[in-house]
Amino acid sequence: DPDMPFVPSIPEDQFILVEEGDPAVIPCRTSDPDAQVTLVNSLDKSVYALYDTKQGFIGNFPAGSYTCKTMVQGVEFKSDEFLIYIIRATSQLPVEIEALKTVYKTGETIVVTCVVFDNEVVNLQWNYPGKVKEKGLIKLDDIKVPSQKLVYTLTIPEASVKDTGDYECTARHATKEVKENKKVAITVHDKGFVHLEPQFSPLEAVNLHEVKNFVVDVQ
């Protein structure tokens, strides 16, 4: 098609996530397999890379913006802009979950943290008893120093007995079919309670001037 030398790209194809050191494909494909195509960066400088008419340009590209150009009957055409993002990631997906405590009283605030190590981009989902009512508040902290970690914090304000159950986070790798999930059990009581266990009898005898200890275990 001389009026449409580049096959239109969908928005998802214009954002390219690639792990450090891995090759990427810039998918500017032409409707004419014999077309001469040039790749340029954001400074409009030519970038050398292998071109495959069925895929696009293939190579190790720095992060940034790229555009493809071709000439049809003396007229220059440009493709859509493609953005490459370089992400730090490992093939493994180390995940840890932590709760400040696992037993709460009604009205208290539940806080559960899920930490993903050594990966910059992941898809993380929470499952917990109050999810249907969207009761939880989720916050993300992206920490890069001294090492890369994503800290997801789930907060449940004004907890009730109905918030008792498993709190689970599931992390999925951005570029690989890898996932990891962790969970912790949380219990919410209607009210606080104290359990006393005396280590002595109801009636004790003590000699004059004797020092005697009375021990009570409190839970």
Side-chain angles (χ1 to χ4, degrees), residues 34-183:
D34 297 321
Q36 298 298 308
V37 185
T38 304
L39 179 66
V40 296
N41 59 21
S42 57
L43 301 176
D44 207 33
K45 290 186 177 180
S46 295
V47 177
Y48 174 77
L50 173 69
Y51 185 71
D52 182 320
T53 56
K54 295 181 180 180
Q55 295 186 67
F57 284 99
I58 304 168
N60 291 85
F61 306 105
S65 167
Y66 295 86
T67 309
C68 302
K69 294 181 178 180
T70 190
M71 298 287 290
V72 177
Q73 297 176 359
V75 179
E76 183 181 77
F77 287 85
K78 290 184 178 180
S79 71
D80 294 321
E81 181 183 42
F82 298 92
L83 298 171
I84 289 185
Y85 295 91
I86 307 294
I87 61 172
R88 196 180 314 162
T90 59
S91 57
Q92 302 300 315
L93 201 55
V95 177
E96 287 184 6
I97 194 167
E98 183 182 55
L100 292 178
K101 55 182 184 176
T102 56
V103 178
Y104 290 85
K105 289 188 300 182
T106 295
E108 290 186 324
T109 299
I110 298 173
V111 179
V112 182
T113 301
C114 195
V115 184
V116 182
F117 298 91
D118 303 325
N119 286 268
E120 267 188 311
V121 182
V122 297
N123 177 16
L124 188 131
Q125 292 181 325
W126 287 97
N127 277 314
Y128 56 96
K131 184 175 181 180
V132 175
K133 295 183 179 179
E134 297 183 348
K135 192 174 181 181
L137 306 172
I138 299 171
K139 178 183 142 187
L140 168 62
D141 292 309
D142 187 353
I143 299 172
K144 300 190 181 296
V145 178
S147 59
Q148 172 66 44
K149 61 181 178 180
L150 298 172
V151 181
Y152 296 84
T153 304
L154 172 67
T155 304
I156 312 288
E158 295 291 325
S160 71
V161 175
K162 292 181 179 179
D163 292 308
T164 294
D166 288 337
Y167 286 69
E168 182 179 37
C169 66
T170 302
R172 286 179 171 80
H173 202 286
T175 58
K176 295 182 173 67
E177 290 298 320
V178 178
K179 74 173 183 176
E180 186 71 33
N181 71 300
K182 299 282 181 173
K183 67 180 178 180

Side-chain angles (χ1 to χ4, degrees), residues 3-22:
D3 296 322
M4 188 70 70
F6 287 107
V7 178
S9 58
I10 59 176
E12 289 82 356
D13 288 341
Q14 294 174 241
F15 296 92
I16 304 164
L17 288 178
V18 58
E19 293 179 27
E20 283 180 322
D22 284 356

